Amino acid sequence: MAPKKGIKARKAMKARTMKAMKSGKAVMTKTGLADALATEHDMKRSQVAKVLDTLATVGAKEVKSAGKFTIPGLCMIKTRRKPATKAGERLMFGKTVAVKAQPAKTVVKAFCVAALKKT
């Protein structure tokens, strides 16, 4: 029996999206970022690496205490408290499924600034 048209279309669309996600360009590493900043501002790479480490520790401390940290012109990091869920039965895709209880947890999300969205 031949596969339905919908399945072929979905597979083709998935292949296209996966190809779009895998751009051939490498992602900039911490060392690469430190090199770029050091050459731009005539500093040593080790000094810039220390500044990046300090930024990371300050950001982590602020997110933990205040729940929000903004890197101006780049992104905002926020925490959100997800409530606990009770155990029981839920209807999923037309079937009743037994669901375990989940504890409350804190989720960390990063949002880019509006200026980046427009570019």
Side-chain angles (χ1 to χ4, degrees), residues 30-31 33-38 41-60 69 71:
K30 180 182 170 186
T31 308
L33 180 62
D35 274 334
L37 290 172
H41 295 286
D42 299 323
M43 296 172 71
K44 290 183 179 177
R45 189 176 81 198
S46 59
Q47 291 175 321
V48 176
K50 287 178 186 175
V51 170
L52 289 173
D53 287 337
T54 306
L55 178 68
T57 53
V58 168
F69 179 70
I71 302 172

Side-chain angles (χ1 to χ4, degrees), residues 40-101:
E40 183 74 26
H41 295 286
D42 299 323
M43 296 172 71
K44 290 183 179 177
R45 189 176 81 198
S46 59
Q47 291 175 321
V48 176
K50 287 178 186 175
V51 170
L52 289 173
D53 287 337
T54 306
L55 178 68
T57 53
V58 168
K61 191 165 59 169
E62 279 297 308
V63 166
K64 205 167 205 170
S65 64
K68 193 184 222 183
F69 179 70
T70 305
I71 302 172
L74 194 62
C75 70
M76 176 171 46
I77 303 167
K78 284 183 179 180
T79 57
R80 180 176 173 269
R81 189 88 174 135
K82 283 188 104 177
T85 58
K86 293 182 179 179
E89 292 182 348
R90 299 229 174 87
L91 194 65
M92 291 185 193
F93 306 110
K95 295 181 182 178
T96 305
V97 180
V99 179
K100 294 180 183 177

Side-chain angles (χ1 to χ4, degrees), residues 16-27:
R16 267 188 262 134
T17 55
M18 292 299 287
K19 196 180 282 187
M21 284 174 28
K22 292 181 185 178
S23 63
K25 197 170 183 182
V27 179

